[in-house]
PDB file of all heavy atoms in Angstrom:
ATOM      1  N   PHE A 705      -4.061  -6.413 -11.351  1.00  0.00           N
ATOM      2  CA  PHE A 705      -3.231  -6.556 -12.440  1.00  0.00           C
ATOM      3  C   PHE A 705      -3.466  -7.887 -13.182  1.00  0.00           C
ATOM      4  O   PHE A 705      -3.211  -8.011 -14.396  1.00  0.00           O
ATOM      5  CB  PHE A 705      -1.703  -6.381 -12.154  1.00  0.00           C
ATOM      6  CG  PHE A 705      -1.447  -4.842 -12.223  1.00  0.00           C
ATOM      7  CD1 PHE A 705      -1.729  -3.980 -11.154  1.00  0.00           C
ATOM      8  CD2 PHE A 705      -0.577  -4.448 -13.196  1.00  0.00           C
ATOM      9  CE1 PHE A 705      -1.491  -2.729 -11.228  1.00  0.00           C
ATOM     10  CE2 PHE A 705      -0.287  -3.074 -13.295  1.00  0.00           C
ATOM     11  CZ  PHE A 705      -0.674  -2.167 -12.270  1.00  0.00           C
ATOM     12  N   GLU A 706      -3.887  -8.920 -12.419  1.00  0.00           N
ATOM     13  CA  GLU A 706      -4.340 -10.246 -13.170  1.00  0.00           C
ATOM     14  C   GLU A 706      -5.416  -9.893 -14.092  1.00  0.00           C
ATOM     15  O   GLU A 706      -5.549 -10.508 -15.124  1.00  0.00           O
ATOM     16  CB  GLU A 706      -4.685 -11.220 -12.032  1.00  0.00           C
ATOM     17  CG  GLU A 706      -5.078 -12.577 -12.582  1.00  0.00           C
ATOM     18  CD  GLU A 706      -5.456 -13.529 -11.546  1.00  0.00           C
ATOM     19  OE1 GLU A 706      -5.030 -13.395 -10.403  1.00  0.00           O
ATOM     20  OE2 GLU A 706      -6.055 -14.494 -11.902  1.00  0.00           O
ATOM     21  N   ASN A 707      -6.408  -8.948 -13.702  1.00  0.00           N
ATOM     22  CA  ASN A 707      -7.490  -8.683 -14.510  1.00  0.00           C
ATOM     23  C   ASN A 707      -7.061  -8.005 -15.838  1.00  0.00           C
ATOM     24  O   ASN A 707      -7.914  -7.821 -16.738  1.00  0.00           O
ATOM     25  CB  ASN A 707      -8.498  -7.747 -13.695  1.00  0.00           C
ATOM     26  CG  ASN A 707      -9.216  -8.559 -12.702  1.00  0.00           C
ATOM     27  OD1 ASN A 707      -9.348  -9.703 -12.851  1.00  0.00           O
ATOM     28  ND2 ASN A 707      -9.650  -7.799 -11.739  1.00  0.00           N
ATOM     29  N   THR A 708      -5.782  -7.527 -15.988  1.00  0.00           N
ATOM     30  CA  THR A 708      -5.418  -6.896 -17.305  1.00  0.00           C
ATOM     31  C   THR A 708      -5.010  -8.054 -18.261  1.00  0.00           C
ATOM     32  O   THR A 708      -4.787  -7.773 -19.459  1.00  0.00           O
ATOM     33  CB  THR A 708      -4.087  -6.081 -17.105  1.00  0.00           C
ATOM     34  OG1 THR A 708      -3.059  -6.843 -16.617  1.00  0.00           O
ATOM     35  CG2 THR A 708      -4.340  -5.014 -16.047  1.00  0.00           C
ATOM     36  N   ILE A 709      -5.092  -9.264 -17.865  1.00  0.00           N
ATOM     37  CA  ILE A 709      -4.675 -10.419 -18.769  1.00  0.00           C
ATOM     38  C   ILE A 709      -5.931 -11.152 -19.128  1.00  0.00           C
ATOM     39  O   ILE A 709      -6.849 -11.569 -18.399  1.00  0.00           O
ATOM     40  CB  ILE A 709      -3.755 -11.376 -18.052  1.00  0.00           C
ATOM     41  CG1 ILE A 709      -2.532 -10.613 -17.398  1.00  0.00           C
ATOM     42  CG2 ILE A 709      -3.340 -12.516 -18.902  1.00  0.00           C
ATOM     43  CD1 ILE A 709      -1.832 -11.429 -16.337  1.00  0.00           C
ATOM     44  N   GLY A 710      -6.000 -11.452 -20.404  1.00  0.00           N
ATOM     45  CA  GLY A 710      -7.189 -12.221 -20.935  1.00  0.00           C
ATOM     46  C   GLY A 710      -7.247 -13.621 -20.394  1.00  0.00           C
ATOM     47  O   GLY A 710      -6.297 -14.256 -20.163  1.00  0.00           O
ATOM     48  N   ASP A 711      -8.438 -14.075 -20.230  1.00  0.00           N
ATOM     49  CA  ASP A 711      -8.595 -15.535 -19.671  1.00  0.00           C
ATOM     50  C   ASP A 711      -7.855 -16.512 -20.552  1.00  0.00           C
ATOM     51  O   ASP A 711      -7.291 -17.480 -19.976  1.00  0.00           O
ATOM     52  CB  ASP A 711     -10.074 -15.849 -19.562  1.00  0.00           C
ATOM     53  CG  ASP A 711     -10.787 -15.085 -18.392  1.00  0.00           C
ATOM     54  OD1 ASP A 711     -10.041 -14.654 -17.492  1.00  0.00           O
ATOM     55  OD2 ASP A 711     -12.031 -15.037 -18.374  1.00  0.00           O
ATOM     56  N   HIS A 713      -5.089 -16.352 -22.076  1.00  0.00           N
ATOM     57  CA  HIS A 713      -3.700 -16.372 -21.737  1.00  0.00           C
ATOM     58  C   HIS A 713      -3.432 -16.930 -20.395  1.00  0.00           C
ATOM     59  O   HIS A 713      -2.483 -17.632 -20.128  1.00  0.00           O
ATOM     60  CB  HIS A 713      -3.123 -14.993 -21.973  1.00  0.00           C
ATOM     61  CG  HIS A 713      -3.216 -14.492 -23.330  1.00  0.00           C
ATOM     62  ND1 HIS A 713      -2.578 -14.981 -24.381  1.00  0.00           N
ATOM     63  CD2 HIS A 713      -4.010 -13.447 -23.921  1.00  0.00           C
ATOM     64  CE1 HIS A 713      -2.906 -14.290 -25.534  1.00  0.00           C
ATOM     65  NE2 HIS A 713      -3.797 -13.525 -25.234  1.00  0.00           N
ATOM     66  N   LEU A 714      -4.311 -16.649 -19.472  1.00  0.00           N
ATOM     67  CA  LEU A 714      -4.086 -17.137 -18.021  1.00  0.00           C
ATOM     68  C   LEU A 714      -4.349 -18.593 -18.002  1.00  0.00           C
ATOM     69  O   LEU A 714      -3.721 -19.342 -17.316  1.00  0.00           O
ATOM     70  CB  LEU A 714      -5.210 -16.448 -17.166  1.00  0.00           C
ATOM     71  CG  LEU A 714      -4.887 -14.960 -16.784  1.00  0.00           C
ATOM     72  CD1 LEU A 714      -6.003 -14.413 -15.983  1.00  0.00           C
ATOM     73  CD2 LEU A 714      -3.565 -14.913 -15.939  1.00  0.00           C
ATOM     74  N   TYR A 718      -0.637 -19.370 -16.945  1.00  0.00           N
ATOM     75  CA  TYR A 718      -1.007 -18.495 -15.888  1.00  0.00           C
ATOM     76  C   TYR A 718       0.173 -17.745 -15.269  1.00  0.00           C
ATOM     77  O   TYR A 718       0.232 -16.542 -15.251  1.00  0.00           O
ATOM     78  CB  TYR A 718      -1.836 -19.313 -14.741  1.00  0.00           C
ATOM     79  CG  TYR A 718      -2.161 -18.491 -13.586  1.00  0.00           C
ATOM     80  CD1 TYR A 718      -3.228 -17.707 -13.579  1.00  0.00           C
ATOM     81  CD2 TYR A 718      -1.355 -18.510 -12.462  1.00  0.00           C
ATOM     82  CE1 TYR A 718      -3.726 -16.914 -12.584  1.00  0.00           C
ATOM     83  CE2 TYR A 718      -1.746 -17.690 -11.314  1.00  0.00           C
ATOM     84  CZ  TYR A 718      -2.837 -17.011 -11.437  1.00  0.00           C
ATOM     85  OH  TYR A 718      -3.246 -16.248 -10.319  1.00  0.00           O
ATOM     86  N   TYR A 721       2.220 -15.128 -17.522  1.00  0.00           N
ATOM     87  CA  TYR A 721       1.553 -13.906 -17.835  1.00  0.00           C
ATOM     88  C   TYR A 721       1.373 -12.992 -16.500  1.00  0.00           C
ATOM     89  O   TYR A 721       1.475 -11.851 -16.427  1.00  0.00           O
ATOM     90  CB  TYR A 721       0.272 -14.001 -18.489  1.00  0.00           C
ATOM     91  CG  TYR A 721       0.518 -14.480 -19.938  1.00  0.00           C
ATOM     92  CD1 TYR A 721       0.089 -15.769 -20.365  1.00  0.00           C
ATOM     93  CD2 TYR A 721       0.899 -13.588 -20.808  1.00  0.00           C
ATOM     94  CE1 TYR A 721       0.429 -16.157 -21.634  1.00  0.00           C
ATOM     95  CE2 TYR A 721       1.212 -14.055 -22.183  1.00  0.00           C
ATOM     96  CZ  TYR A 721       0.901 -15.359 -22.549  1.00  0.00           C
ATOM     97  OH  TYR A 721       1.222 -15.772 -23.824  1.00  0.00           O
ATOM     98  N   LEU A 722       1.023 -13.809 -15.445  1.00  0.00           N
ATOM     99  CA  LEU A 722       0.841 -13.103 -14.212  1.00  0.00           C
ATOM    100  C   LEU A 722       2.029 -12.440 -13.610  1.00  0.00           C
ATOM    101  O   LEU A 722       2.254 -11.449 -13.150  1.00  0.00           O
ATOM    102  CB  LEU A 722       0.337 -14.092 -13.031  1.00  0.00           C
ATOM    103  CG  LEU A 722       0.088 -13.390 -11.811  1.00  0.00           C
ATOM    104  CD1 LEU A 722      -1.015 -12.243 -11.765  1.00  0.00           C
ATOM    105  CD2 LEU A 722      -0.412 -14.504 -10.762  1.00  0.00           C
ATOM    106  N   SER A 723       3.280 -13.189 -13.831  1.00  0.00           N
ATOM    107  CA  SER A 723       4.589 -12.808 -13.463  1.00  0.00           C
ATOM    108  C   SER A 723       4.952 -11.441 -14.179  1.00  0.00           C
ATOM    109  O   SER A 723       5.478 -10.472 -13.484  1.00  0.00           O
ATOM    110  CB  SER A 723       5.638 -13.835 -13.614  1.00  0.00           C
ATOM    111  OG  SER A 723       5.330 -14.941 -12.948  1.00  0.00           O
ATOM    112  N   ALA A 725       2.755  -9.342 -15.346  1.00  0.00           N
ATOM    113  CA  ALA A 725       1.788  -8.287 -14.921  1.00  0.00           C
ATOM    114  C   ALA A 725       2.209  -7.751 -13.471  1.00  0.00           C
ATOM    115  O   ALA A 725       2.270  -6.535 -13.138  1.00  0.00           O
ATOM    116  CB  ALA A 725       0.415  -8.851 -14.781  1.00  0.00           C
TER     117      ALA A 725
END
Side-chain angles (χ1 to χ4, degrees):
F705 275 73
E706 181 178 340
N707 289 333
T708 67
I709 307 164
D711 288 339
H713 301 293
L714 287 172
Y718 178 82
Y721 292 106
L722 182 61
S723 298

